[in-house]
């Protein structure tokens, strides 16, 4: 593959930032004759990565400030994010955790497993554990099973999830043996990460099918990326194709303000306009929730095109996906949700 000058300069920077890593499977999806290939843009570094825009951050979701134990992010009341490895099968250039991921950055992920398990055991309000990293499915079956069984032994933990792009980057890792091990720890859900319909190859579809056949409900977390998927037709095709792979589109993320990502970010307005062109035009199951992770540590904030045109004393004036207007009578007294909340001030 011949690199463009921007890519050639970008690859020289990866020694001190986020490593360059692409699996053969994913690399083979790159159209080497197209410098704008949406697969290529996700994983081949570019010179723009070295320019940091004013609002960008090393830790855009403020995770380091929400770690009661190294490697465990406890932001929401009932669930935690458990970072179990710093390695991925390939490295996404817009990685929100690039400060600790891939082993070449300024920080190291220092997960303290024993302390993390103890924290989970002691905090009975935690009923949901989300394993991420890095990519948990890069761990061996044995290591992964040690972690899963340990967490499953905690009575108050009901829901277990794994966030992984391995089914997309390395579908051959989804072996029958892995699936047989995972299904012992139900209810177990997996969130995968695909951004473009080209990623859903027959190998990926079969890997996802093996996970689904093991009874694992699958969701997708896509990131809205300029020059990759900021197009209503591309997103609609991605979301419909995911349903055919038995994956429910879960979130569409506004790209985090990670350092060096300006060339991959769209405006929020563009994201809202795209959602407006999708909702109503296709299967509701194919429509994810568009969210922005509140910069600095606010957690996920849902963003929706505005369907409430006006609210009078006794009516909501609403529009449907085509822009037609409908009115719905409002009960009184008004529901509490409209009486409080900082947005009203
Ligand atoms: C995304 C995230 C979760 C999970 O959020 P859901 O909306 O339940 O999918 C939990 N903890 C942290 C820190 C997160 O960033």
């Amino acid at each position: 593959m011949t690199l463009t000058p921007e890519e050639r300069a970008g690859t020289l920077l990866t020694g001190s930032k986020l490593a360059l890593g692409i699996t053969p499977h994913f690399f083979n999806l790159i159209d080497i004759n197209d410098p704008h290939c949406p697969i290529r843009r996700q994983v081949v570094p570019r010179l723009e990565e070295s320019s940091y825009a004013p609002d960008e951050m090393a830790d855009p979701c403020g995770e380091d400030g929400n770690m009661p134990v190294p490697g465990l992010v406890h932001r929401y009341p009932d669930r935690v994010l458990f970072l179990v490895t710093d390695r991925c099968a390939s490295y996404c250039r817009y990685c929100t955790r690039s400060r600790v991921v891939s082993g070449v950055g300024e920080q190291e992920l220092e997960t303290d497993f024993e302390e993390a398990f103890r924290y989970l055991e002691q905090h009975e309000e935690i009923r949901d554990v989300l394993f991420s990293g890095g990519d948990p499915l890069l761990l061996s079956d044995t290591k992964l099973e040690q972690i899963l069984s340990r967490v499953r032994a905690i009575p108050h933990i009901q829901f277990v999830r794994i966030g992984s792009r391995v089914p997309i980057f390395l579908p051959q890792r989804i072996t029958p043996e892995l699936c047989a091990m995972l299904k012992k720890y139900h209810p177990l859900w997996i969130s995968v990460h695909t951004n473009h319909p080209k990623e859903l190859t027959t190998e990926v579809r079969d890997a996802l099918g093996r996970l689904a056949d093991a009874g694992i409900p699958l969701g997708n977390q896509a990131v809205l990326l300029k020059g990759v998927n900021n197009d209503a037709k591309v997103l609609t095709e991605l979301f419909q194709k995911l349903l055919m792979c038995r994956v429910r589109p879960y979130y569409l993320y506004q790209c985090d303000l990670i350092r060096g990502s300006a060339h991959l970010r769209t405006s929020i307005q563009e994201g809202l306009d795209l959602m407006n062109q999708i909702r109503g035009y296709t299967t509701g199951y194919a429509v994810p929730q568009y969210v922005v992770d509140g910069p600095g540590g606010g957690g996920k904030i849902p963003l929706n095109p505005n369907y409430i045109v006006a609210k009078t004393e006794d009516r909501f004036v609403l529009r449907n996906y085509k822009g037609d207007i409908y009115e719905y009578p409002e009960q009184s007294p008004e529901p509490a949700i409209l009486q409080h909340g900082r947005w009203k001030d």
Side-chain angles (χ1 to χ4, degrees):
M1 174 177 159
T2 310
L3 298 176
T4 65
E6 293 77 17
E7 290 168 339
R8 201 185 313 268
T11 57
L12 295 174
L13 304 166
T14 58
S16 59
K17 202 171 171 267
L18 178 71
L20 161 62
I22 313 174
T23 57
H25 174 88
F26 206 70
F27 185 86
N28 282 324
L29 303 182
I30 294 177
D31 178 350
I32 58 168
N33 299 312
D34 177 10
H36 307 293
C37 168
I39 300 295
R40 179 175 190 151
R41 240 177 119 68
Q42 292 183 59
V43 289
V44 177
R46 299 174 59 84
L47 179 60
E48 290 104 312
E49 275 183 28
S50 58
S51 337
Y52 297 170
D55 292 316
E56 293 178 345
M57 292 169 258
D59 179 17
C61 302
E63 293 178 334
D64 291 341
N66 275 299
M67 281 193 199
V69 171
L72 203 63
V73 186
H74 191 183
R75 161 166 308 137
Y76 297 106
D78 70 339
R79 57 204 187 281
V80 293
L81 177 66
F82 193 164
L83 307 177
V84 296
T85 171
D86 64 356
R87 301 304 150 102
C88 290
S90 304
Y91 293 105
C92 309
R93 302 322 302 172
Y94 49 88
C95 177
T96 193
R97 231 162 268 139
S98 52
R99 71 190 183 285
V100 286
V101 160
S102 88
V104 303
E106 57 198 35
Q107 246 175 277
E108 259 194 74
L109 181 69
E110 287 168 326
T111 302
D112 186 329
F113 283 89
E114 279 315 310
E115 226 196 297
F117 291 134
R118 210 170 313 128
Y119 184 88
L120 295 177
E121 280 158 5
Q122 285 167 358
H123 287 258
E124 292 186 17
E125 74 276 17
I126 299 169
R127 42 160 293 287
D128 172 359
V129 176
L130 164 50
F131 292 108
S132 184
D135 198 315
L137 294 187
L138 279 199
L139 299 179
S140 67
D141 291 6
T142 309
K143 181 86 206 254
L144 202 53
E145 181 156 24
Q146 280 169 5
I147 295 171
L148 286 171
S149 60
R150 187 75 196 266
V151 162
R152 264 282 164 252
I154 303 173
H156 53 268
I157 291 172
Q158 302 165 354
F159 191 61
V160 175
R161 303 184 252 185
I162 297 172
S164 174
R165 208 176 182 181
V166 155
I168 318 306
F169 283 147
L170 198 67
Q172 61 268 46
R173 168 72 183 98
I174 311 302
T175 60
E177 294 74 24
L178 174 67
C179 296
M181 184 277 284
L182 292 175
K183 72 189 285 190
K184 292 193 276 178
Y185 298 96
H186 275 312
L188 173 73
W189 293 43
I190 290 183
S191 294
V192 299
H193 172 32
T194 45
N195 295 321
H196 193 279
K198 269 185 82 172
E199 295 167 40
L200 296 168
T201 62
T202 53
E203 292 86 353
V204 169
R205 183 202 58 202
D206 292 349
L208 294 166
R210 289 192 289 279
L211 292 169
D213 284 345
I216 302 170
L218 302 171
N220 184 65
Q221 312 198 85
V223 179
L224 181 57
L225 296 167
K226 184 156 79 184
V228 173
N229 60 11
N230 59 332
D231 177 286
K233 268 172 90 173
V234 169
L235 284 176
T236 302
E237 190 191 340
L238 169 68
F239 299 151
Q240 291 172 345
K241 226 172 151 183
L242 281 163
L243 291 187
M244 303 321 288
C245 294
R246 305 159 71 186
V247 181
R248 161 80 155 105
Y250 178 42
Y251 285 140
L252 172 67
Y253 286 91
Q254 173 65 17
C255 186
D256 288 330
L257 292 167
I258 187 71
R259 292 192 303 197
S261 66
H263 61 294
L264 288 168
R265 280 186 275 121
T266 66
S267 64
I268 286 186
Q269 189 58 57
E270 183 174 358
L272 290 171
D273 293 343
L274 287 165
M275 291 308 299
N276 198 43
Q277 293 172 69
I278 297 169
R279 165 70 67 193
Y281 291 94
T282 191
T283 312
Y285 274 123
V287 184
Q289 174 64 58
Y290 178 39
V291 290
V292 59
D293 227 307
K300 295 172 188 75
I301 301 168
L303 300 169
N304 291 300
N306 195 12
Y307 293 98
I308 301 175
V309 177
K311 199 209 154 226
T312 64
E313 279 285 285
D314 62 347
R315 294 190 162 245
F316 269 96
V317 183
L318 309 168
R319 72 166 176 91
N320 73 356
Y321 70 103
K322 289 188 282 192
D324 302 329
I325 302 298
Y326 298 85
E327 290 188 17
Y328 193 97
E330 182 61 342
Q331 312 275 28
S332 61
E334 293 180 14
I337 194 162
L338 290 176
Q339 304 283 18
H340 69 260
R342 274 192 246 171
W343 59 273
K344 219 191 158 194
D345 302 334

